Amino acid sequence: MYEDKTLICKDCGNEFVFTAGEQEFYAEKGFVNEPQRCKACRDARKNARRGERTFYTAVCAECGGEAKIPFQPKDDRPVYCSDCYAKMNNKEEA
């Protein structure tokens, strides 16, 4: 029913493909307008609105290493570095 369409990004002027799957998704959601920006420009716009994120440094409760986190750490809650956090999540899934 749907076919891939090549569109022009209104920000960068590059071509991008509006896939048949994306068109079907838009139709299901009731969107009537086609996208005007490529994925890179959409992401850049989204990040610009969000602003810069502040990261905090804390000590990992598991290994004692440095943990960079996007929230202010609290003394009553443990903080984990990304490696230890991933290991803990993998144990829970098993």
Side-chain angles (χ1 to χ4, degrees), residues 4-75:
D4 290 358
K5 289 184 184 179
T6 301
L7 304 175
I8 306 293
C9 178
K10 80 177 213 177
D11 286 351
C12 67
N14 291 332
E15 292 183 348
F16 66 98
V17 177
F18 185 33
T19 66
E22 290 170 331
Q23 292 173 50
E24 187 174 352
F25 174 79
Y26 272 52
E28 287 174 5
K29 295 294 180 183
F31 301 147
V32 293
N33 298 324
E34 295 179 341
Q36 297 181 355
R37 293 176 179 85
C38 64
K39 174 129 175 67
C41 289
R42 284 194 316 264
D43 290 346
R45 247 175 93 90
K46 192 184 311 178
N47 290 335
R49 283 192 310 242
R50 186 182 312 161
E52 290 292 318
R53 288 181 87 178
T54 302
F55 283 89
Y56 300 89
T57 302
V59 177
C60 176
E62 184 72 22
C63 70
E66 181 179 272
K68 295 251 185 212
I69 53 176
F71 57 88
Q72 182 87 33
K74 296 181 181 176
D75 292 332

